[in-house]
Amino acid sequence: YNLVEGNYSKSKLIFEDIVKDYPQHVIANYCLWKSLRGLGDEQGASLIELRMRELVETDENSLNVIKRYRMLSEPPFSYLLAVK
């Protein structure tokens, strides 16, 4: 809700907690990435983007989640369309 409503500070805190406990949760990482971008923290977002890339490139389950939610055409995953 906070992410959708643009309350990026609150959503950042929520998704940081989730990612801390579940670092391989690709959707939580994605939501954290969106929160950081919404706050203008491109450096922080870049670090999360690297983590997400590693997840989808090394973990079949993470890639399947991205496919299931039809996120392959969205940044930061759109590069996968050229690879896969």
Side-chain angles (χ1 to χ4, degrees):
Y1 176 81
N2 286 295
L3 182 60
V4 172
E5 292 295 315
N7 189 351
Y8 301 119
S9 296
K10 178 76 172 170
S11 64
K12 174 184 176 266
L13 293 174
I14 292 167
F15 290 111
E16 282 177 332
D17 281 344
I18 296 169
V19 168
K20 183 178 76 174
D21 292 336
Y22 304 97
Q24 292 187 314
H25 194 295
V26 70
I27 298 298
N29 276 285
Y30 174 75
C31 291
L32 177 56
W33 175 80
K34 286 191 68 124
S35 299
L36 292 168
R37 290 196 49 157
L39 290 168
D41 183 355
E42 293 301 322
Q43 185 176 7
S46 293
L47 293 173
I48 301 301
E49 184 172 338
L50 289 174
R51 181 186 307 154
M52 287 188 297
R53 285 182 178 230
E54 182 179 337
L55 282 172
V56 298
E57 290 173 7
T58 62
D59 179 36
E60 189 73 25
N61 185 52
S62 292
L63 180 58
N64 288 336
V65 168
I66 296 306
K67 288 178 180 177
R68 184 177 320 126
Y69 288 98
R70 296 185 175 100
M71 296 170 68
L72 279 177
S73 61
E74 298 180 24
F77 304 112
S78 52
Y79 79 96
L80 289 168
L81 292 174
V83 176
K84 300 280 179 200

